[in-house]
Amino acid sequence: EALQVKIAGGWTSPSWKARVPRAVRGRVVEMAEAGLSQRAIANRLNADGVPAVGGSWHRGTVIRVLRQAA
């Protein structure tokens, strides 16, 4: 719960951003701006074989990328 409060307040892990390459972060933002849902973005990244932090892309990972980009 404490971590969720910190994240809601804008906190991010200092190492997490470096684990998602800038090009992939940009691609996630572009797909979101094109109207794709977070789940659709995760599915597309998995289908395209884009490496993920935890092995595969999930909706929550996409949400974190988008929050950091905002």
Side-chain angles (χ1 to χ4, degrees), residues 5-66:
V5 170
K6 287 175 73 171
I7 291 171
W11 178 86
T12 58
S13 170
S15 64
W16 192 84
K17 194 173 211 177
R19 293 168 45 187
V20 178
R22 177 178 287 164
V24 175
R25 290 192 311 255
R27 184 173 174 190
V28 169
V29 170
E30 287 174 7
M31 286 191 278
E33 289 174 348
L36 273 72
S37 69
Q38 293 99 1
R39 190 172 315 280
I41 293 169
N43 290 340
R44 171 118 11 123
L45 292 172
N46 286 323
D48 291 347
V50 176
V53 174
S56 64
W57 285 91
H58 300 278
R59 179 178 167 269
T61 309
V62 172
I63 289 171
R64 281 192 290 278
V65 170
L66 293 172

